[in-house]
Amino acid sequence: MDSDSVRGMDRRQLLGWGGLAAAGAAAAATQLAAVRPAHATPAVFAPDPHAIPPATRPGGDYDRYVAKLAAEDKFSGVVMLSHRGRTVLSRSYGMADKEKGIRNHEGVAFNLSSAGKPFGAVAILQLAQRGKVRLSDTVGTYLSGFAKDIAEKVTIHHLLSGTSGLDTPEEDLRRVFQSREEVREFYEGWARQAKPVAAPGTPTDHAGAEVAIPALIVEAVTGTTYWDYVEEHIFRRCGMTGTAFFTRPQWLTDQHLAHSYMRQADGSRVDAVRNLDKGSPDPYQLGKNPARGFIDPPGDGGFATAPDLVRFAHALADGTLLDRPYAELLTGPKIPHAPQGGGLRGGPATSADASFGAYMMPVSLISGQWVNGRAGVNPGSVASWNIYPDTGWVGVVLGNYDDVPFQEIIQREIQAVIG
């Protein structure tokens, strides 16, 4: 799983931030308004879905802001804004691989960290749509080896909505894995060590088991690995050709994968991929190096390009991934949070009217418009995607530095789109 904090940036403050992005078909884009929280109250005003705010355009406020960060070496990566299937803004900055001199561009895939968690929720809802699982089923319906209180009381709904009441032991962050099988075996055992610390239905603060257990259920029901299921039934179905659960050997050799650069205490940055067993003596930096895992744990992470995340957003809206009722179930508000822009949990106050937890992704009501998405942070990387269903916008931020003003970048995106 990805780290709880990155160089003083508390990941719990970022769990709610979202962002989906990339270029999808124009016809599908008109359907984005359909993927809004179920039973939503109509907007206070009717935003013009065809309007292109000046701040979103090339040379606009958002473009100039990100360019300034990049010029000051405070951002490296890709930002994209797409409106109704057409790319309005696409900028790439910095190097994907400094050693080889490869620059970032639209075709480069970045580590998603927690921004990949909604893929697991989509996988479960696909199975529910096919009648293979029910959201009211308990963990023990599909899996053995869990404590009775978990097996008989914690449901799939509890896990996906972040209300399981579970706690999971700290991971062995110094272990280096050498195969997919090793990773899967470790995280299966780790998930089974989860313990109930509150009654099911109680909001939980980022319990790892809530991510790992649904992935195990996907495997139990389908007879395939989580990674293979998601790649076939989500990535390929959406046409996300640059997105996958790449392994560390691929990360080292594939020129289309951005290396993650961790900021060190001395001010330098270290390539997290090439320095798995060397570099900073700081156990925080080395132990939480995302490359140690060989492949991201089931239910988490993956790599994606900005255009692919836009394709994912449109595939949610046009029925490619889920029938409309299940797409609405994915993004429908479940658990109320304090008002936070873009789903930011524990972050600074924003103009959000209301915020809610959904299935593996938060949703906020900001100036009368719904915004839903997800964000993730790992040493050396940041990722965010947001869907604005009322107006057909999708926003993406993918970066391979960890010392960036991530919260502010996302807030600037929201301000550019909504005003």
Side-chain angles (χ1 to χ4, degrees):
M1 303 294 169
D2 49 354
S3 60
D4 284 340
S5 59
V6 177
R7 302 300 304 166
M9 182 184 298
D10 186 352
R11 193 196 54 164
R12 292 186 179 90
Q13 293 179 343
L14 301 169
L15 287 178
W17 284 97
L20 266 124
T30 62
Q31 300 297 322
L32 274 177
V35 184
R36 54 163 49 90
H39 310 298
T41 301
V44 175
F45 68 97
D48 182 357
H50 301 285
I52 307 294
T56 65
R57 298 176 182 271
D61 290 347
Y62 181 61
D63 188 15
R64 294 197 307 272
Y65 166 74
V66 178
K68 184 175 184 294
L69 290 179
E72 297 171 349
D73 200 31
K74 295 179 181 178
F75 179 77
S76 173
V78 175
V79 296
M80 180 174 283
L81 294 176
S82 173
H83 181 245
R84 302 173 70 81
R86 300 183 64 179
T87 301
V88 174
L89 180 69
S90 177
R91 299 297 192 198
S92 303
Y93 299 99
M95 307 299 292
D97 187 336
K98 295 182 179 181
E99 182 174 300
K100 295 182 178 179
I102 301 171
R103 299 193 64 82
N104 284 322
H105 57 83
E106 274 191 16
V108 169
F110 294 76
N111 182 253
L112 293 177
S113 186
S114 286
K117 285 180 170 65
F119 300 144
V122 171
I124 287 287
L125 290 175
Q126 285 180 339
L127 297 177
Q129 182 175 294
R130 292 164 50 197
K132 300 294 185 180
V133 303
R134 292 182 301 180
L135 298 175
S136 59
D137 287 340
T138 60
V139 171
T141 306
Y142 305 98
L143 303 173
S144 60
F146 284 87
K148 185 176 181 180
D149 282 350
I150 299 175
E152 297 182 0
K153 296 180 180 179
V154 176
T155 67
I156 294 175
H157 166 78
H158 290 142
L159 296 166
L160 295 184
S161 62
T163 59
S164 68
L166 297 179
D167 188 24
T168 318
E170 290 291 327
E171 302 173 57
D172 179 2
L173 296 175
R174 290 188 175 276
R175 178 167 179 171
V176 178
F177 299 95
Q178 303 298 330
S179 69
R180 286 164 50 115
E181 292 73 24
E182 233 185 296
V183 173
R184 189 199 172 282
E185 181 180 356
F186 173 84
Y187 281 99
E188 179 178 5
W190 179 70
R192 285 192 166 85
Q193 297 176 49
K195 296 181 179 179
V197 294
T202 304
T204 313
D205 190 8
H206 192 66
E210 293 177 342
V211 178
I213 295 176
L216 293 175
I217 292 174
V218 170
E219 294 185 339
V221 172
T222 65
T224 188
T225 69
Y226 171 84
W227 305 299
D228 291 341
Y229 178 88
V230 171
E231 287 186 350
E232 178 178 354
H233 295 275
I234 297 178
F235 300 161
R236 293 176 191 170
R237 191 178 293 184
C238 296
M240 299 167 68
T241 57
T243 299
F245 294 101
F246 293 106
T247 64
R248 182 170 180 257
Q250 290 173 306
W251 202 353
L252 284 166
T253 58
D254 193 327
Q255 296 186 0
H256 295 89
L257 300 181
H259 285 225
S260 296
Y261 292 93
M262 302 184 298
R263 176 70 80 178
Q264 303 296 286
D266 63 3
S268 65
R269 292 191 180 96
V270 170
D271 185 330
V273 190
R274 290 194 175 96
N275 290 273
L276 175 62
D277 302 311
K278 57 186 178 180
S280 169
D282 180 354
Y284 170 80
Q285 292 282 9
L286 181 60
K288 294 193 175 184
N289 186 326
R292 83 184 198 287
F294 189 81
I295 190 171
D296 279 308
D300 206 351
F303 292 75
T305 67
D308 275 355
L309 289 174
V310 172
R311 293 184 181 101
F312 177 66
H314 290 292
L316 278 177
D318 67 12
T320 298
L321 287 174
L322 295 166
D323 291 344
R324 180 171 176 175
Y326 286 89
E328 292 181 341
L329 183 59
L330 175 74
T331 59
K334 314 279 189 307
I335 307 300
H337 296 154
Q340 302 142 350
L344 181 64
R345 296 184 63 184
T350 71
S351 59
D353 304 308
S355 296
F356 305 87
Y359 279 165
M360 294 291 178
M361 58 196 307
V363 56
S364 290
L365 188 62
I366 303 176
S367 298
Q369 294 187 46
W370 289 106
V371 181
N372 44 274
R374 186 76 204 212
V377 179
N378 250 337
S381 65
V382 295
S384 163
W385 49 259
N386 282 317
I387 301 175
Y388 303 82
D390 295 308
T391 51
W393 285 88
V394 181
V396 179
V397 179
L398 297 173
N400 58 334
Y401 283 177
D402 54 19
D403 56 327
V404 301
F406 192 36
Q407 299 172 3
E408 185 176 340
I409 294 172
I410 300 171
Q411 188 62 26
R412 290 292 191 108
E413 175 203 293
I414 294 172
Q415 291 173 351
V417 172
I418 294 181

